[in-house]
Amino acid sequence: MSKKEAQLKKIKAEILKQNICPELAASAIQLVFGDGSAKAELVFIGEAPGKSEDEQGLPFVGAAGQFLNEMLAMIGLKRKDVYITNIVKYRPPDNRDPYPDEKATFLPFLRAQLEAIKPKIVVTLGRHSMECFLPGLQISKCHGQPKRYQGQVYLPLFHPAAALYNGSMRQTLIDDFMKIPAILKKINQEAKIIKTLS
Ligand code: URA
């Protein structure tokens, strides 16, 4: 097991040991921690697991997840090449929105996941995920625009569930998604330049 995988395993064990959000934990079937590669360059962050995710213990495996898989394929990637997770790691009852205190309670664990993986880009899916990292921005204005904040590059995107059945939003999300390879290339070029000079 790699160092990054071991770190992720430890964070997952810590959530269980500390009995984080016990009411959510009691109403859900299981913890939905994350899925994919610990050495991913891209981390995708949604809001909270839904019914299918709760049943399978994996993030984004329902209809929104299928759409996410399709968009990954459009840029030549598979789920195993990236890392996918949510802010809140248990399904809220009846798919209600997670409460602010639930998001705040899980945020340090999400930050620890990012600290372990050290991705090149954090792709936030939907407004709630974006607001955790890029406060004060409006998704309608900044979707598809990479932002560097405190040394980390973020790409705010619309949520695939919101865009799934909305023709124009769906196309906008696909167009934004297709920018990922160029953004990644630019970040890698910058890294090369910095390496050469130092
Ligand atoms: N929506 C989310 O925000 N996360 C999931 O895992 C599935 C749907």
Side-chain angles (χ1 to χ4, degrees):
M1 185 186 291
S2 72
K3 189 176 164 211
K4 289 183 176 195
E5 284 167 347
Q7 279 175 288
L8 289 176
K9 199 175 163 196
K10 205 170 151 199
I11 299 160
K12 183 177 177 181
E14 211 44 47
I15 294 174
L16 294 166
K17 190 176 137 203
Q18 291 184 32
N19 195 17
I20 297 301
C21 290
E23 282 165 23
L24 277 189
S27 64
I29 298 171
Q30 57 188 318
L31 180 74
V32 180
F33 182 68
D35 185 31
S37 167
K39 55 182 193 337
E41 292 189 320
L42 294 170
V43 171
F44 292 82
I45 303 175
E47 192 181 350
K51 189 170 186 287
S52 311
E53 289 76 21
D54 189 31
E55 283 166 359
Q56 295 185 43
L58 292 168
F60 283 96
V61 288
Q66 284 307 314
F67 185 28
L68 181 60
N69 292 350
E70 280 170 37
M71 290 188 288
L72 284 170
M74 288 177 201
I75 58 168
L77 294 175
K78 295 202 165 69
R79 283 174 73 100
K80 67 172 177 50
D81 303 317
V82 302
Y83 191 83
I84 304 171
T85 188
N86 285 298
I87 313 166
V88 168
K89 315 289 196 216
Y90 291 111
R91 179 194 182 200
D94 304 320
N95 286 352
R96 66 158 168 78
D97 281 351
Y99 297 138
D101 67 303
E102 292 166 344
K103 290 193 273 188
T105 306
F106 272 110
L107 192 55
F109 297 95
L110 176 57
R111 289 196 188 280
Q113 283 175 292
L114 295 176
E115 190 50 44
I117 299 169
K118 296 198 185 348
K120 298 265 169 69
I121 309 178
V122 172
V123 184
T124 60
L125 300 172
R127 182 169 63 87
H128 297 281
S129 172
M130 183 192 77
E131 282 170 353
C132 282
F133 299 98
L134 301 169
L137 294 189
Q138 268 178 278
I139 186 102
S140 56
K141 292 199 180 130
C142 69
H143 65 87
Q145 298 166 20
K147 308 277 178 199
R148 199 188 295 269
Y149 183 61
Q150 297 177 338
Q152 174 68 60
V153 176
Y154 296 90
L155 181 66
L157 297 184
F158 287 129
H159 196 292
L164 195 54
Y165 304 114
N166 175 327
S168 72
M169 199 191 271
R170 184 186 167 93
Q171 192 53 50
T172 303
L173 175 54
I174 293 171
D175 293 345
D176 288 347
F177 207 97
M178 301 295 274
K179 295 176 186 168
I180 290 175
I183 300 167
L184 210 45
K185 193 172 166 196
K186 191 147 183 252
I187 294 171
N188 285 328
Q189 278 168 349
E190 274 177 19
K192 247 188 218 165
I193 292 165
I194 292 165
K195 249 188 194 158
T196 317
L197 296 179
S198 61

